[in-house]
Amino acid sequence: MLVPGASVPALFAAGMVPGILVGLALIVPAVWLARRHGMGQAEGSLPRPPFWRSLREAAWGLAAPVLILGGMRMGWFTPTEAGVLAAFYGLFVGMAVHRTIRVRDLFVILREAGEISSVILLVVSLAGIFAYSLSTLGVIDPVARAIVNSGLGEGGVMALVVLLLVVAGMFLDGISIFLIFVPLLMPIVQHFQWDVVWFGVILTLMVALGQFTPPLAVNLMVSCRIARVPIESTVRWVGWLLVAMLAVTLAVILMPDLALWLPRYLGY
């Protein structure tokens, strides 16, 4: 995520605690839904695999976030380069270690990746044109002033921003939301003197939530493609997970130290 006035290390550190909270919050509805609807009962009757053997087999997968996030933290590569590294690391593990990906499978993988990427890139390109048009026509400043002077107060404006990002997430991917709404929201952030790192975390949480809200739901679309299930069949289940993510977002809004104490502790 790119937020003007905020350093990348500070944003990275600020997202750690909220990210952990989101993970814990998602466990609650997942376990509840599984127990209520009997999910995984067939797997539960199978013998449990040995722990250490399972850990050894999962070591390559567990090493991926350590390598990628650790490399970004050490300054070895940028977030964009980390994405490239993650793709090649996954191919290496799949082809050379686990041998679940064959050379002839690469064409199918690349074709499906191209299909998904083409949709996302089309949306991103149109969003870039839209953001440029807003800036060129001078629309951003009047809209920001109208929101600030609406009489809603600081809490009301924040609620409006959250609602706006939820709706935007239904139709746009994360990059497009940043391109369009960051220039619009930064004058509001400066007016209320909100911490840009804290606001960047909120924006990222809302964008992450929006990527699972239909009808577009980019991440949900990718997940359904991998699981080979229709996206409409997931709505009744995803709703509970979205509520859990929204609860963590509201907690970060009400308690900014959840996001800000780690960057302060690390001296960012």
Side-chain angles (χ1 to χ4, degrees), residues 193-205:
Q193 297 182 346
W194 292 336
D195 189 289
V196 291
V197 174
W198 169 72
F199 185 76
V201 172
I202 294 173
L203 184 59
T204 303
L205 287 171

Side-chain angles (χ1 to χ4, degrees), residues 76-118:
W76 293 342
F77 37 74
T78 65
T80 303
E81 294 168 346
V84 177
L85 176 64
F88 278 96
Y89 181 83
L91 280 176
F92 169 75
V93 173
M95 298 182 69
V97 179
H98 296 303
R99 302 180 184 274
T100 55
I101 300 177
R102 295 165 294 183
V103 175
R104 62 184 179 182
D105 296 329
L106 287 178
F107 175 76
V108 178
I109 294 173
L110 293 175
R111 185 188 63 193
E112 293 182 354
E115 292 174 356
I116 298 173
S117 299
S118 61

Side-chain angles (χ1 to χ4, degrees), residues 35-216:
R35 291 184 175 179
R36 182 177 182 181
H37 297 280
M39 300 177 183
Q41 287 184 344
E43 292 81 357
S45 61
L46 299 176
R48 187 183 298 272
F51 174 78
W52 293 110
R53 189 184 72 184
S54 301
L55 182 62
R56 184 173 60 254
E57 293 175 352
W60 287 96
L62 295 175
V66 176
L67 174 64
I68 296 168
L69 298 179
M72 291 172 54
R73 179 69 179 85
M74 298 296 293
W76 293 342
F77 37 74
T78 65
T80 303
E81 294 168 346
V84 177
L85 176 64
F88 278 96
Y89 181 83
L91 280 176
F92 169 75
V93 173
M95 298 182 69
V97 179
H98 296 303
R99 302 180 184 274
T100 55
I101 300 177
R102 295 165 294 183
V103 175
R104 62 184 179 182
D105 296 329
L106 287 178
F107 175 76
V108 178
I109 294 173
L110 293 175
R111 185 188 63 193
E112 293 182 354
E115 292 174 356
I116 298 173
S117 299
S118 61
V119 176
I120 298 174
L121 290 175
L122 179 62
V123 175
V124 170
S125 62
L126 295 176
I129 296 173
F130 183 71
Y132 176 78
S133 302
L134 289 180
S135 177
T136 304
L137 296 174
V139 176
I140 293 176
D141 289 339
V143 171
R145 285 197 298 268
I147 294 175
V148 169
N149 299 324
S150 61
L152 296 175
E154 185 175 350
V157 170
M158 176 57 75
L160 181 63
V161 169
V162 170
L163 178 62
L164 179 66
L165 293 174
V166 169
V167 175
M170 295 180 180
F171 304 99
L172 298 171
D173 69 292
I175 299 176
S176 301
I177 292 175
F178 279 107
L179 289 174
I180 294 174
F181 289 101
V182 167
L184 172 64
L185 296 176
M186 285 312 297
I188 300 175
V189 173
Q190 294 168 357
H191 175 81
F192 289 107
Q193 297 182 346
W194 292 336
D195 189 289
V196 291
V197 174
W198 169 72
F199 185 76
V201 172
I202 294 173
L203 184 59
T204 303
L205 287 171
M206 295 307 304
V207 168
L209 188 148
Q211 300 312 282
F212 285 93
T213 51
L216 185 58

Side-chain angles (χ1 to χ4, degrees), residues 13-14 73 257 259-268:
R73 179 69 179 85
D257 281 344
L260 297 178
W261 79 268
L262 186 57
R264 285 200 297 260
Y265 177 78
L266 296 176
Y268 295 135

